[in-house]
Amino acid sequence: MVELKTEPQIDAMREAGRVVARALAAARKYAAPGVTLLELDEVAHDVLRDAGASSPFLGYRPSFAPTPFPAVLCVSVNDAIVHGVPDRTRLRDGDLVSVDFGAELDGWVGDSAVSFTVGTARPEDTRLIETAERALAAGIAAAVVGNRIGDIAHAVGTVCRAAGYGIPDGFGGHGIGRRMHEDPGVPNEGRPRRGMPLRAGMALAIEPMVIAGGTDGYHEAPDGWTLRTNDGSRAAHAEHTVAITAAGPRVLTAL
């Protein structure tokens, strides 16, 4: 079931989205060679506390997970695609890092992700990250009344495939609002003019994921959460929470 949000409810989601944006910006600023992934998690946690918000990630346990997620921030490094668990691993110069974060404030949730390089960027990593961001922008542009879920999926997938990158099968975006994961699912590849019609008041988390090696294969790491590329190539992830309005898409997790 898809809940259509009112304008005041979308405004409330925007406030949660501001917390998300601040946390991601703080984690990105703090990331440097020698910093541990747990330290990045604590930086994001501080933003939550300051805002009086809570984490939809911490303690989250979907059916596939062997244990509840132990942190407020997902930190995926190099060949990790998504759901990376923060630990005592120290960042190194040239690491490609994807951070994914959610916040719940006054009963409404925001969810966003960004990828970046620590220190010296490799040109191929810069291209990978820019492609994920362009795919996200294309998906957002397609999130308009009168289109369908398939139009978003097609827009995202077209950008990723044109760049020669893989797309992890079975993972994509989702509806969002009172809970982090709501209907409908938002695939990262699909056929235009197919799927659920987009209506004003829908809120979606659109989140392209790209694999540099061009293959789609991935596997679950021993922690039961982190997804890694099968070919060992690097991955990037970009995400925004977006409301569909009569005036066009409204990004709720922009800084």
Side-chain angles (χ1 to χ4, degrees):
M1 178 177 172
V2 176
E3 178 187 16
L4 300 181
K5 283 74 175 177
T6 65
E7 187 172 338
Q9 289 172 336
I10 291 172
D11 288 342
M13 288 186 67
R14 172 58 176 149
E15 294 309 307
R18 292 184 199 278
V19 178
V20 175
R22 290 199 299 269
L24 290 177
R28 181 173 187 168
K29 183 178 180 180
Y30 194 81
V35 170
T36 70
L37 307 190
L38 279 173
E39 288 173 322
L40 290 186
D41 182 69
E42 189 57 33
V43 166
H45 212 155
D46 286 344
V47 174
L48 272 183
R49 295 187 190 100
D50 291 346
S54 61
S55 171
F57 288 17
L58 183 63
Y60 181 60
R61 189 178 184 181
S63 58
F64 67 81
T67 57
F69 195 75
V72 302
L73 187 71
C74 294
V75 189
S76 305
V77 181
N78 296 333
D79 67 327
I81 307 168
V82 287
H83 303 162
V85 178
D87 58 18
R88 290 184 172 81
T89 299
R90 293 187 181 277
L91 294 172
R92 298 175 297 177
D93 185 66
D95 278 345
L96 194 166
V97 181
S98 299
V99 287
D100 188 355
F101 184 80
E104 182 175 350
L105 183 67
D106 297 329
W108 296 97
V109 178
D111 185 14
S112 183
V114 64
S115 296
F116 56 87
T117 300
V118 174
T120 308
R122 306 191 313 183
E124 57 268 35
D125 289 345
T126 298
R127 178 174 178 266
L128 185 70
I129 293 167
E130 289 176 346
T131 299
E133 292 172 346
R134 284 193 296 108
L136 175 57
I140 293 170
V144 296
V145 175
N147 273 355
R148 292 176 176 265
I149 290 291
D151 293 303
I152 298 175
H154 180 72
V156 169
T158 296
V159 172
C160 299
R161 294 300 187 189
Y165 295 138
I167 301 171
D169 184 47
F171 282 85
H174 49 88
I176 186 170
R178 300 179 193 272
R179 301 185 311 279
M180 180 168 59
H181 291 133
E182 298 183 352
D183 291 333
V186 186
N188 283 330
E189 193 167 31
R191 298 175 63 183
R193 312 310 304 162
R194 298 296 180 93
M196 181 180 292
L198 303 180
R199 298 171 60 190
M202 293 175 69
L204 306 173
I206 301 172
E207 50 178 322
M209 307 162 196
V210 286
I211 299 174
T215 62
D216 299 348
Y218 61 88
H219 61 275
E220 188 179 274
D223 61 26
W225 278 99
T226 308
L227 301 183
R228 296 190 178 277
T229 62
N230 281 349
D231 61 9
S233 67
R234 294 187 171 195
H237 178 204
E239 178 184 16
H240 270 310
T241 294
V242 180
I244 297 172
T245 77
R250 181 182 176 189
V251 179
L252 304 180
T253 44
L255 189 62

